Amino acid sequence: MQERNRVDSQWRPCSPRVPRYLRTAAALAAAVQSLINAPPPRPESQSLHAQLLTSGLRPTADLSVKILILHLRCGSHRNARAVFDGMPAPTHAAHNYLVAGYFRLGLPGEALGIVRRLAGITGRLDVFALSMALKLSGALALPRAASEAHARVVRTVLEFDDILFAALVDAYVKTASLGYARRVHSMMPSPSVVCSTALIVGCMNEGLYRDAEAIFDRTCEKDVVVYNAMVEGYSKTEETAESSLEVFKAMQRARFRPTVSTCVSVLGACSLLSSPELGEQVHCHAIKSNVVSDIKTGSALLDTYAKCGRVEDARRVFDGMVERNVVTWTSMIDGYGKNGLSDEALELFEEMRRQRVVRPNHATFLSALSACARAGLLAQGQEVFQSMEREYSLKPRMEHYACMVDLLGRFGSVRQAYDFVKGMPARPNSDVWAALLGAATLHDDVDIANVAAKEVFELSRGGRPGAYMAFSNTLAAAGKWDGVHDVREMMKRRGVLKDAACSWVGSDNSPPAD
């Protein structure tokens, strides 16, 4: 009772702005907690903090932490930091809540700074802070920070648990330290499915498919997440796309219901295999699993149909989506352009701009510019390019400049394209010069081809065999055989090999076996 009287005596007389029923520390803490728990948090609930400030009250550490949490729940990290900095001696809880809040709001750098501050003040971190330090090291791709956190874990934690093991493996995977991730995983007598999933992702990222398979096979209690890791890992290359579908089938046999992540990955594999029929089957599974209405699933579906040449099916998916984001719009615009429907692509792009619901991004503009370049729509392409900065404050990137050079060079004049390159605000990269070289080759302009080729060869000494061949062909067409010989010799000296030609003819009927 004496302690309570002592705490309450810290509060000065309350201003009339603070209701009578909130004039004790306990009542205020309860009121703030009720606002924290209210779904969803309302920004106006932060006005309670303003009332406290104007009243001259000095909050206890517990109340300060609750106000800090309230600000974070409302998305106001600056106000939360002001509360934190105003505490005479921020507690472990205050540090941990601020770290978690920063991370959730997409501020991993600031969050790691708070963890380091806590370590510097107290000399130790609890399990939560250590696991957050590892998570932040991975998010920021800082291998040294991951190693430092690991060292603290070894020094301060008497008994490792699954959470710390999984956080360690995940941090090392995300900082491209797969060897260390393997060591940590091997230290576990019985690795958890979470830990094994993190290592599988690391192996898949490095193309170590057999290693990933071995870890997957040794995982006793599999869940949908570990299956998704295998499905996604295989879905990234054409060579392994069929394996993605096989794991998907095994997942269904194991009675696991496909998630949004599953469907998105399998649809990516269908795109690589150019198989709209398989895409239709996944579409059916998405409907049965009740994930077809998710914006990620819808975007992946229309992208798959478009890449497989089924543009009308893609548009039906697009029109049936309740919600669309910039990926959805961009995929549909890109699908139209790549299937030779440039007018439709530009109409949809203009509709997106008129609606003003979703802002086009760099990828959207690149898709629109590419559609113009494929159809030779020079005036429209120039208008799209100029509107990037004029209307959306988006600075064109090298890929946008390269697209414009290609458009100007093939459908305007090579000299116009060259002047455009010379007027760029930044130094052109090899993509831009390669586009100019392609245009010069098309129009047999040896002088500009010579300028562009020198730049390409300088910027990509060991790559772009197509550029060497294009310049060689330009010289050959002009009858400059000494120049052709020089280019071929340069390719030999630099070890540049001509790309082997190939063709792929799909057939439903396999050839008869011998």
Side-chain angles (χ1 to χ4, degrees):
M1 187 67 181
Q2 290 178 348
E3 176 65 16
R4 181 175 177 180
N5 289 337
R6 187 183 66 79
V7 172
D8 286 349
S9 67
Q10 294 177 359
W11 299 82
R12 299 176 185 175
C14 294
S15 163
R17 293 191 180 197
V18 180
R20 182 177 295 277
Y21 68 90
L22 294 180
R23 294 187 182 183
T24 67
L28 281 165
V32 174
Q33 187 63 54
S34 68
L35 291 171
I36 293 169
N37 296 337
R42 299 183 301 276
E44 57 266 25
S45 63
Q46 296 176 95
S47 63
L48 179 61
H49 185 201
Q51 292 178 21
L52 292 176
L53 291 173
T54 55
S55 71
L57 297 174
R58 290 178 298 176
T60 62
D62 178 61
L63 181 55
S64 293
V65 170
K66 289 183 184 296
I67 295 171
L68 182 150
I69 296 168
L70 178 62
H71 284 307
L72 290 172
R73 286 267 288 153
C74 294
S76 179
H77 63 86
R78 289 187 178 86
N79 286 342
R81 184 58 189 261
V83 173
F84 179 86
D85 291 338
M87 296 176 70
T91 61
H92 259 79
H95 281 86
N96 287 344
Y97 278 118
L98 188 58
V99 168
Y102 271 147
F103 182 70
R104 191 171 59 252
L105 294 171
L107 300 166
E110 287 82 348
L112 188 58
I114 296 296
V115 173
R116 285 174 168 161
R117 180 184 187 278
L118 177 61
I121 293 171
T122 65
R124 63 185 181 84
L125 299 173
D126 58 19
V127 172
F128 175 82
L130 286 168
S131 63
M132 283 302 300
L134 290 165
K135 186 178 287 188
L136 295 165
S137 302
L140 294 166
L142 298 173
R144 185 172 179 180
S147 298
E148 289 173 358
H150 190 177
R152 283 190 175 275
V153 169
V154 172
R155 287 198 305 269
T156 60
V157 178
L158 297 177
E159 186 176 350
F160 279 39
D161 59 14
D162 288 344
I163 294 174
L164 275 178
F165 268 118
L168 276 166
V169 173
D170 187 59
Y172 280 130
V173 163
K174 288 178 178 174
T175 57
S177 306
L178 189 58
Y180 289 119
R182 285 178 182 274
R183 286 190 204 175
V184 174
H185 186 266
S186 65
M187 289 168 58
M188 296 184 71
S190 179
S192 68
V193 66
V194 177
C195 196
S196 295
T197 301
L199 189 56
I200 286 170
V201 170
C203 291
M204 285 292 191
N205 290 343
E206 297 292 329
L208 302 172
Y209 301 111
R210 290 191 177 180
D211 292 352
E213 290 163 10
I215 298 164
F216 179 78
D217 291 339
R218 288 197 301 268
T219 304
C220 299
E221 297 182 6
K222 296 180 177 68
D223 62 7
V224 68
V225 181
V226 74
Y227 271 103
N228 281 347
M230 295 294 291
V231 170
E232 182 183 355
Y234 283 133
S235 70
K236 294 177 180 177
T237 68
E238 190 179 303
E239 293 76 19
T240 59
E242 287 190 10
S243 296
S244 179
L245 298 174
E246 291 302 318
V247 177
F248 176 57
K249 292 174 187 175
M251 178 181 177
Q252 292 175 296
R253 287 194 296 269
R255 307 277 183 176
F256 286 109
R257 198 179 186 86
T259 64
V260 170
S261 177
T262 316
C263 292
V264 170
S265 298
V266 178
L267 286 166
C270 295
S271 298
L272 290 174
L273 295 170
S274 300
S275 176
E277 295 79 16
L278 290 173
E280 286 178 337
Q281 292 178 32
V282 179
H283 192 167
C284 292
H285 284 297
I287 293 171
K288 290 177 184 176
S289 301
N290 201 31
V291 296
V292 72
S293 59
D294 186 272
I295 192 167
K296 292 180 183 177
T297 306
S299 298
L301 265 171
L302 75 87
D303 186 59
T304 298
Y305 281 132
K307 285 178 178 175
C308 293
R310 302 265 285 267
V311 188
E312 291 181 358
D313 290 332
R315 185 57 192 255
R316 271 192 288 273
V317 173
F318 179 86
D319 289 338
M321 293 178 70
V322 178
E323 181 187 3
R324 304 184 190 117
N325 60 15
V326 68
V327 176
T328 314
W329 284 91
T330 302
S331 295
M332 194 66 246
I333 293 166
D334 195 56
Y336 273 136
K338 285 180 177 175
N339 283 280
L341 301 170
S342 295
D343 289 338
E344 287 83 348
L346 293 178
E347 284 174 15
L348 189 62
F349 178 64
E350 287 305 315
E351 183 183 339
M352 179 186 187
R353 293 171 67 182
R354 281 196 306 272
Q355 288 189 9
R356 298 175 180 265
V357 176
V358 178
R359 279 176 61 88
N361 62 12
H362 283 94
T364 317
F365 274 100
L366 184 61
S367 295
L369 283 171
S370 298
C372 295
R374 288 187 181 92
L377 304 174
L378 183 57
Q380 292 94 320
Q382 290 174 316
E383 168 57 27
V384 169
F385 182 83
Q386 290 163 7
S387 70
M388 285 185 70
E389 216 164 349
R390 184 183 67 226
E391 297 179 26
Y392 298 95
S393 301
L394 292 173
K395 289 189 177 297
R397 295 173 179 169
M398 286 298 164
E399 54 265 33
H400 301 98
Y401 283 109
C403 200
M404 277 304 298
V405 170
D406 179 59
L407 178 59
L408 289 166
R410 290 196 296 128
F411 300 101
S413 71
V414 180
R415 177 59 58 180
Q416 190 179 5
Y418 179 65
D419 291 341
F420 179 82
V421 172
K422 298 300 288 182
M424 285 175 58
R427 184 187 178 189
N429 68 0
S430 62
D431 292 335
V432 175
W433 287 113
L436 183 61
L437 176 58
T441 300
L442 180 67
H443 294 286
D444 296 326
D445 191 321
V446 178
D447 293 336
I448 291 182
N450 186 44
V451 173
K454 285 180 180 177
E455 294 290 344
V456 173
F457 300 159
E458 179 63 30
L459 292 169
S460 54
R461 299 179 68 85
R464 291 194 176 277
Y468 287 87
M469 296 310 301
F471 186 44
S472 175
N473 293 339
T474 304
L475 293 172
K480 298 191 175 185
W481 300 107
D482 289 342
V484 172
H485 176 75
D486 292 342
V487 172
R488 298 295 172 92
E489 287 299 313
M490 187 189 305
M491 290 178 71
K492 288 180 184 178
R493 286 197 308 273
R494 295 183 176 181
V496 179
L497 300 176
K498 180 182 176 182
D499 290 333
C502 64
S503 101
W504 181 17
V505 179
S507 173
D508 292 333
N509 302 314
S510 300
D514 293 335

